[in-house]
């Protein structure tokens, strides 16, 4: 019996031994680590600088993150100034030439899709954080598919020995993804034209995809904390219009949403916003499953 066990262990060891180092990927947000894992499978090791309960606009460029970014072969971040407060510093401190802007290992997802809210007049001195187009593209699975196609190509270039693997894996993922999109769209039929008040401009791509109407925001400007006077004006808006729900992200303080919910009697719904935003959301598929389930649940 012992001998048999030994043989099995030896065979397993032979087959599971890593022949080459994995592609080391540093991502800024969990959704990109999840996408990297979908395409890269067991050939990559993906790390996310932020987690689902964190606001990706504002984090500290901690020494532990510098240690991680230093070893990265590939950097995947959202861009469109989402990480402007912390990524440039991390990149400078990384002393890693492979992932600097312009290099093959510098992958900015918003570069590969059409951005909404682009070209609007914004004033960052007044706290407006979205001055070069809305960065929250991951809430639209169609845009995510566009990013996946580009990412697969970059992985093939960076790790040519495994190019076939990335190509096949990304195709498998995209096939499954496009099927899932059809299912989500069917589930979300009931949401068409629904009026929503959102905490931050986090879901304009989701709204664009599913034909939701986000009529107002709890933040008076993107990145500016809700004020009592602004919330009072939203209360008036909600009385004059048929608003179906108030939505906020798991990482956001629910206080303002709850304030409005209490007075307007419109349900405030917490959404995961990304992978790890709640217990149900552990990959890209469950992220959309859960988001749509919560939205549909609010109108039923
Ligand atoms: Zn934002």
């Amino acid at each position: 019996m012992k001998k048999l066990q030994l043989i099995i262990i030896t065979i397993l060891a032979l087959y599971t031994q890593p022949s080459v180092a994995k592609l080391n990927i540093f991502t800024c947000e969990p959704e990109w680590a999840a996408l990297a894992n979908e395409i890269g499978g067991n050939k990559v090791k993906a790390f996310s600088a932020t987690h689902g309960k964190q606001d990706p606009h504002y984090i500290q460029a901690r020494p532990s993150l510098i240690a991680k970014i230093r070893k990265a072969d590939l950097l995947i971040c959202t861009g469109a100034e989402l990480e402007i407060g912390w990524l440039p510093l991390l990149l400078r401190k990384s002393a890693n030439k492979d992932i600097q802007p312009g290099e093959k290992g510098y992958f900015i997802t918003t570069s590969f899709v059409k951005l909404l809210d682009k070209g609007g007049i914004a004033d960052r001195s007044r706290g407006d954080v979205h001055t070069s187009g809305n960065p929250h593209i991951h809430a639209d699975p169609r845009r995510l598919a566009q990013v996946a196609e580009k990412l697969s190509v970059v992985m093939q270039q960076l790790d040519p020995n495994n190019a076939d693997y990335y190509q096949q894996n990304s195709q498998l993922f995209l096939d499954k993804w496009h099927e899932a999109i059809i299912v989500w769209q069917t589930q979300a039929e009931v949401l068409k034209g629904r009026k929503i008040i959102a905490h931050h401009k986090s879901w304009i791509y989701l709204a664009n995809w599913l034909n939701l109407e986000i009529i107002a925001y709890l933040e008076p400007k993107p990145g500016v904390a809700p004020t009592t006077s602004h919330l009072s004006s939203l209360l008036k808006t909600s009385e004059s219009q048929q608003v179906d729900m108030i939505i906020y992200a798991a990482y956001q303080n629910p206080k303002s949403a709850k304030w409005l919910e209490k007075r307007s009697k419109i349900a405030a719904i917490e959404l995961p916003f990304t992978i790890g935003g709640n217990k149900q959301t552990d990959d890209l598929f469950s992220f959309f499953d859960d988001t749509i389930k919560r939205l549909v649940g609010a109108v039923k």
Side-chain angles (χ1 to χ4, degrees), residues 32-257:
W32 306 131
L35 186 62
N37 282 326
E38 293 285 357
I39 299 170
N42 60 18
K43 308 293 181 202
V44 304
K45 196 174 150 213
F47 167 83
S48 174
T50 57
H51 58 74
K53 296 285 176 65
Q54 256 178 328
D55 183 347
H57 304 83
Y58 311 103
I59 65 157
Q60 295 292 321
R62 302 188 308 275
S64 61
L65 292 180
I66 297 166
K68 288 275 186 194
I69 199 170
R70 203 161 266 174
K71 290 182 280 182
D73 305 305
L74 171 61
L75 172 120
I76 310 172
C77 292
T78 301
E81 301 188 359
L82 175 62
E83 304 97 349
I84 198 167
W86 52 277
L87 185 59
L89 180 65
L90 273 185
L91 279 170
R92 263 203 312 280
K93 298 246 177 182
S94 74
N96 180 345
K97 61 174 175 33
D98 298 336
I99 53 153
Q100 298 298 322
E103 297 300 325
K104 214 175 273 173
Y106 180 78
F107 188 91
I108 296 299
T109 60
T110 47
S111 310
F112 305 106
V113 299
K114 188 173 177 284
L115 294 189
L116 299 176
D117 270 3
K118 213 173 171 174
I121 299 162
D123 182 359
R124 197 176 297 118
S125 68
R126 291 171 63 196
D128 197 338
V129 294
H130 294 157
T131 56
S132 51
N134 189 297
H136 304 296
I137 58 165
H138 73 286
D140 176 359
R142 301 165 308 175
R143 282 177 166 83
L144 226 136
Q146 293 173 329
V147 173
E149 283 178 27
K150 298 284 181 188
L151 185 57
S152 166
V153 173
V154 168
M155 283 185 181
Q156 291 171 51
Q157 289 169 344
L158 288 174
D159 184 12
N161 289 335
N162 291 313
D164 289 346
Y165 178 88
Y166 297 126
Q167 165 64 34
Q168 283 160 16
N169 240 14
S170 61
Q171 203 45 61
L172 282 174
F173 166 72
L174 285 167
D175 290 347
K176 221 172 116 190
W177 193 246
H178 288 302
E179 277 173 30
I181 288 177
I182 294 168
V183 174
W184 293 323
Q185 285 174 178
T186 311
Q187 290 168 342
E189 275 292 321
V190 64
L191 297 171
K192 261 186 193 162
R194 297 285 182 166
K195 289 195 170 98
I196 291 175
I197 295 178
H199 184 115
H200 172 73
K201 272 198 165 183
S202 311
W203 293 280
I204 67 164
Y205 295 94
L206 182 89
N208 176 270
W209 170 46
L210 298 176
N211 294 310
L212 310 173
E213 204 186 326
I214 300 180
I215 60 156
Y217 297 92
L218 299 180
E219 292 179 341
K221 270 175 161 289
V224 178
T227 58
T228 315
S229 64
H230 181 65
L231 290 175
S232 301
S233 78
L234 290 181
L235 184 58
K236 285 205 186 82
T237 308
S238 70
E239 282 159 359
S240 62
Q241 296 197 48
Q242 178 64 47
V243 178
D244 293 285
M245 67 187 103
I246 303 158
I247 58 174
Y248 63 98
Y251 72 80
Q252 281 155 348
N253 187 338
K255 220 175 70 186
S256 304

